[in-house]
Amino acid sequence: MDEYLAPTLFIESDHPAVIEFARTSAGNGGAIDRAVRLYYAVRDGIGYNPYCYTFERDAYRASMILEKGQGFCVQKAILLAAAARAVGIPCRVGYANVVNHLTTRRLRELLRTDLFVFHGYNELFIEGKWVKSTPAFNKSLCDKFGIRPLDFNGRDDSIFHPLDLKGRRHMEYVHDYGSFPDFPIDLMIEESMRYYPHLAEMMKSRDAGGGTTETDPELPWVSDSGADGDAENS
């Protein structure tokens, strides 16, 4: 279990800011109680923003994600992994390709597909077993889009719902890459360029300019904690 408790380049469980966030959010109690509190602290305290997608490596450090207060699924999963490890809960990061049948028009135009490559999630080792959790979409975002927020009880897997509250198709898992002790950024870039080759030049110029200025009128840019942030449906 050591590799799932150790700090890494991206999962900075030894960073002072991450340790403070983890201890404050987790509180006291057993592993289940602490894991659940951490999950909701990341799900609702860090606004979901798909336009934080970048090839800049520092943007995937847990301390940077915490400082920015927003991120997309990969970044939020990194922060949750770091926070869990900081309080002694083994955690790893996993990745899958999903079809989002309810994505916004802006994102569909940008990606030229409804396929979201390298969606990030977590697996936490609690009471003798690995349990999946998906802290991507904060509750206010789910309320806006009419989808069920993903709850987490520390005992059962929490993954995307196939249908929204109106019975429309929502998320469809089509490929799983498995789980990793640290964020495999080179694999993410490789897969992103395989599925989205048209984005290569845009990513280079955007990252060179210091990040994204993308906006999406369909999205509420605020986290449930009240901190400024972006949000979306990926």
Side-chain angles (χ1 to χ4, degrees):
M1 247 353 120
D2 289 350
E3 65 179 341
Y4 301 119
L5 284 167
T8 69
L9 176 63
F10 299 106
I11 302 175
E12 300 174 298
S13 54
D14 59 346
H15 192 284
V18 173
I19 292 172
E20 176 64 21
F21 169 78
R23 291 177 176 173
T24 300
S25 301
N28 300 316
I32 287 181
D33 291 338
R34 288 180 290 129
V36 168
R37 292 191 194 104
L38 287 176
Y39 170 81
Y40 285 107
V42 174
R43 190 197 76 172
D44 294 333
I46 305 297
Y48 181 81
N49 179 5
Y51 300 107
C52 288
Y53 180 85
T54 177
F55 292 160
E56 284 292 312
R57 292 175 183 263
D58 283 348
Y60 294 95
R61 292 180 180 269
S63 60
M64 296 296 291
I65 299 162
L66 182 61
E67 179 181 337
K68 191 168 185 180
Q70 58 179 302
F72 72 115
C73 57
V74 169
Q75 293 162 325
K76 295 183 72 169
I78 288 171
L79 179 58
L80 178 55
R85 293 183 188 185
V87 298
I89 300 173
C91 188
R92 58 197 187 193
V93 284
Y95 302 95
N97 293 346
V98 297
V99 175
N100 183 353
H101 296 281
L102 297 178
T103 190
T104 66
R105 181 171 59 182
R106 177 73 187 102
L107 271 178
R108 189 179 297 109
E109 290 173 349
L110 183 66
L111 299 179
R112 302 179 187 174
T113 178
D114 290 339
L115 179 70
F116 285 73
V117 173
F118 232 71
H119 153 68
Y121 61 89
N122 294 92
E123 292 181 343
L124 299 98
F125 194 77
I126 306 172
E127 295 190 345
K129 68 175 183 177
W130 289 103
V131 185
K132 288 183 171 66
S133 70
T134 309
F137 301 156
N138 43 292
K139 187 177 183 301
S140 60
L141 172 69
C142 294
D143 291 344
K144 175 180 174 61
F145 280 88
I147 58 179
R148 291 187 295 273
L150 282 176
D151 292 321
F152 180 60
N153 61 18
R155 297 180 176 86
D156 304 306
D157 288 343
S158 177
I159 60 176
F160 283 136
H161 299 298
L163 304 175
D164 72 354
L165 293 174
K166 296 180 180 179
R168 297 174 299 180
R169 295 180 72 189
H170 182 207
M171 286 294 187
E172 178 184 356
Y173 288 85
V174 295
H175 177 73
D176 191 85
Y177 294 94
S179 56
F180 302 80
D182 196 12
F183 170 46
I185 188 169
D186 292 329
L187 179 59
M188 184 202 76
I189 293 173
E190 177 184 327
E191 289 297 279
S192 297
M193 291 300 90
R194 182 158 74 97
Y195 285 94
Y196 313 132
H198 61 284
L199 292 184
E201 289 305 315
M202 187 199 79
M203 294 295 290
K204 288 178 183 178
S205 62
R206 196 189 71 179
D207 288 346
T212 179
T213 57
E214 290 280 352
T215 59
D216 192 327
E218 296 183 55
L219 307 178
W221 305 120
V222 64
S223 70
D224 296 334
S225 68
D228 290 337
D230 294 355
E232 209 284 350
N233 188 13
S234 149

